[in-house]
Amino acid sequence: MKRVLGISVYPDHSDSETDRAYIELAHRYGFRRIFMSMLEINEDSEVVKEKFKNLIFFAKSLGYETILDVAPTIFEQLGISYDDLSFFHELGADGIRLDLGFDGNKEAMLTYNPYELAIELNMSNDVAYLDNILTYQANTPFLYGCHNFYPQEGTALPFEFFEKCSQRFKRQGIRTAAFITSQVGEIGPWDINDGLPTLEMHRHLPVDVATKHLFATDLIDDVIIGNAYASEEELEALGKIDRYQTVFAIEFVPEVNEVERQIVLNEQHVRRGDITNQVIRSTEVRKKYKNVDNPVHDASFEFQVGDVVIGNDQFGKYKNELQVVLEPHSDSRKNKVGTIREEELILLPFIHPWSKFKFIEK
């Protein structure tokens, strides 16, 4: 399934022109999905309808898919029914997110709505909710899953729980989404906003690291910035991410030579299939560079987790093999060439046998 970047907008808490500018800016950096909150109505229903409609159709003109986050109270306020989703179709929405569930049969029926609106489910519960819906023969291309976000510090999901919840959806082939948080965005649905991540471990991480982590799990298809507005620097950083393989940011040591830089930055790395606990081995590169000299440097100390090392001229057939250190050790036949960005060490457990990975210079 193709992976998508998304943003969030909160029309009830923001200015329409600012929202349009943000949507346009994010589009420039490759964003194609919008989470739009419609949790409360503070104005006349026709005014609200026109405001959302104008914003959604503007986004649609740029190629966005917009999912509206709705609550049961909205249906009551607007006098609409779950049995007739024409209101959301007229707004131009591509789907609605159900924060609260029904009996399974109801959700399944909703996926057959005549407007082909996606029905998005809350993923942040480790229960058989999805299985129940699927037993009622839901129209699965129009069934999505999306985690919650958590505005209060300390209340977002722990990774192990997130993993179990996500696996329930992923193993059924359901499209999945989760939230990361901008480190500068101040707008969300509530008056408390300590960031809006799905995972607590992401709350204070740079957006690109959190996004790399979610994609590396192979459990999440769409990554959405939960709060508004992310900075242009954050949007640009996400736009540059390789969504399909992990790309580590590396800081080189001063003594790194040109051959080592080429091996690190210009090659497709693949973890050897018969893995070891001590290092991640990229062995194919040594064949290409077997006849290229690589003098000893930065080899007389203990390597630490996240160090990137390359076999030097003393390493025989293993000369110019690249390794990423997983356990501290010493070996004078290896040159330390750099270190992976500290925040990205959380990505190392997701480099599995035969995983593809690359590097960029920090």
Side-chain angles (χ1 to χ4, degrees), residues 43-183:
E43 301 171 286
D44 179 80
S45 61
E46 287 303 312
V47 173
V48 170
K49 183 175 180 180
E50 200 60 27
K51 176 170 64 175
F52 276 83
K53 183 176 181 179
N54 288 339
L55 201 55
I56 292 171
F57 273 95
F58 173 71
K60 192 180 291 289
S61 73
L62 296 175
Y64 278 97
E65 177 183 39
T66 300
I67 307 295
L68 276 175
D69 189 28
V70 296
T73 54
I74 294 299
F75 286 80
E76 297 172 13
Q77 287 180 268
L78 296 174
I80 57 180
S81 165
Y82 283 101
D83 296 320
D84 179 6
L85 301 183
S86 59
F87 174 81
F88 302 107
H89 173 65
E90 291 166 9
L91 291 184
D94 297 287
I96 60 171
R97 184 176 190 271
L98 307 178
D99 198 46
L100 298 176
F102 298 100
D103 62 357
N105 188 22
K106 180 74 167 180
E107 289 90 337
M109 284 299 298
L110 286 172
T111 64
Y112 287 92
N113 69 84
Y115 312 107
E116 297 189 337
L117 294 174
I119 305 301
E120 188 168 77
L121 310 175
N122 177 6
M123 287 176 60
S124 296
N125 291 293
D126 186 24
V127 294
Y129 175 50
L130 174 63
D131 299 323
N132 185 37
I133 294 170
L134 293 177
T135 62
Y136 287 102
Q137 299 299 305
N139 192 11
T140 53
F142 298 95
L143 193 63
Y144 292 3
C146 181
H147 277 283
N148 281 343
F149 51 50
Y150 298 88
Q152 183 189 155
E153 178 95 31
T155 63
L157 302 183
F159 181 77
E160 295 77 11
F161 184 77
F162 159 85
E163 194 172 35
K164 289 198 293 182
C165 296
S166 301
Q167 286 168 348
R168 287 184 176 272
F169 282 74
K170 200 61 180 171
R171 63 173 167 251
Q172 297 290 355
I174 303 298
R175 181 175 170 186
T176 60
F179 293 95
I180 59 167
T181 186
S182 161
Q183 296 303 310

Side-chain angles (χ1 to χ4, degrees), residues 1-6 30 32-33 65 120 123 143-147 162 166 169-179 211 213-224 241-244:
M1 197 171 293
K2 289 189 175 180
R3 292 173 172 174
V4 176
L5 296 173
R32 295 295 182 268
R33 175 168 173 171
E65 177 183 39
E120 188 168 77
M123 287 176 60
L143 193 63
Y144 292 3
C146 181
H147 277 283
F162 159 85
S166 301
F169 282 74
K170 200 61 180 171
R171 63 173 167 251
Q172 297 290 355
I174 303 298
R175 181 175 170 186
T176 60
F179 293 95
T211 300
H213 187 229
L214 287 177
F215 283 149
T217 67
D218 206 27
L219 294 170
I220 299 299
D221 302 306
D222 299 354
V223 173
I224 306 168
I241 283 178
D242 187 323
R243 303 176 197 179
Y244 301 99

Side-chain angles (χ1 to χ4, degrees), residues 7-8 23 34 101 121 163 167 209 223 250 280 287 301 310:
I7 55 172
S8 302
I23 289 168
I34 294 176
L121 310 175
E163 194 172 35
Q167 286 168 348
V209 177
V223 173
I250 182 174
I280 294 169
K287 300 174 184 177
F301 47 80
I310 293 178

Side-chain angles (χ1 to χ4, degrees), residues 257 260 292-299 303 309-321 331-336:
N257 60 52
E260 291 168 332
V292 181
D293 292 340
N294 191 359
V296 176
H297 70 85
D298 294 281
F303 305 126
V309 299
I310 293 178
N312 58 43
D313 287 340
Q314 295 182 359
F315 216 8
K317 67 173 289 186
Y318 302 111
K319 180 178 70 172
N320 289 330
E321 176 179 308
D331 192 332
S332 62
R333 299 167 299 180
K334 303 175 186 179
N335 295 342
K336 176 179 174 179

